[in-house]
Amino acid sequence: MKIGYIQIYMEMLQDLIEPSNTEIRIRESPENGVFLTGNAWIPVSSVRDCMKIINSAEKNRIVAFTNLNAVSSRSHAVFMAKLEKRPNYSIE
């Protein structure tokens, strides 16, 4: 399993795991449907791994003061999980 985490802020896509990735694009193909390119995908093997990455990435979110909340998020976050099926091998 791999995870990705981006934010949409002022109509721009920004990678929260790897902020230096600046060329994130939305693509579409007949084989893959709609997908992103340019964002980081991090392999994880446990809930603990996921939570570490999410907590680290949250520090990269854009926040600003509002009348209701001093640390309100000014962006939309999208957490993505990519599962890949492995072929079954049998021993004969």
Side-chain angles (χ1 to χ4, degrees):
M1 179 171 151
K2 296 178 183 178
I3 63 171
Y5 198 27
I6 64 164
Q7 75 177 343
I8 304 167
Y9 178 68
M10 296 181 66
E11 300 183 18
M12 293 179 58
L13 299 172
Q14 298 169 328
D15 194 330
L16 293 172
I17 294 173
E18 189 59 54
S20 63
N21 293 343
T22 58
E23 295 297 321
I24 300 173
R25 299 281 185 252
I26 299 172
R27 304 282 187 202
E28 184 174 12
S29 76
E31 299 83 28
N32 299 317
V34 178
F35 61 98
L36 296 177
T37 60
N39 64 299
W41 288 99
I42 305 297
V44 293
S45 58
S46 68
V47 173
R48 183 181 303 268
D49 291 346
C50 289
M51 293 310 297
K52 276 201 254 182
I53 293 167
I54 290 170
N55 288 334
S56 175
E58 280 290 311
K59 295 173 186 167
N60 295 321
R61 287 199 67 194
I62 293 175
V63 295
F65 179 82
T66 68
N67 290 335
L68 297 176
N69 187 340
V71 289
S72 175
S73 171
R74 307 303 287 169
S75 67
H76 299 281
V78 180
F79 175 79
M80 303 169 289
K82 184 188 294 188
L83 302 171
E84 296 177 355
K85 182 180 176 182
R86 294 182 184 162
N88 292 333
Y89 294 102
S90 62
I91 300 173
E92 295 182 29

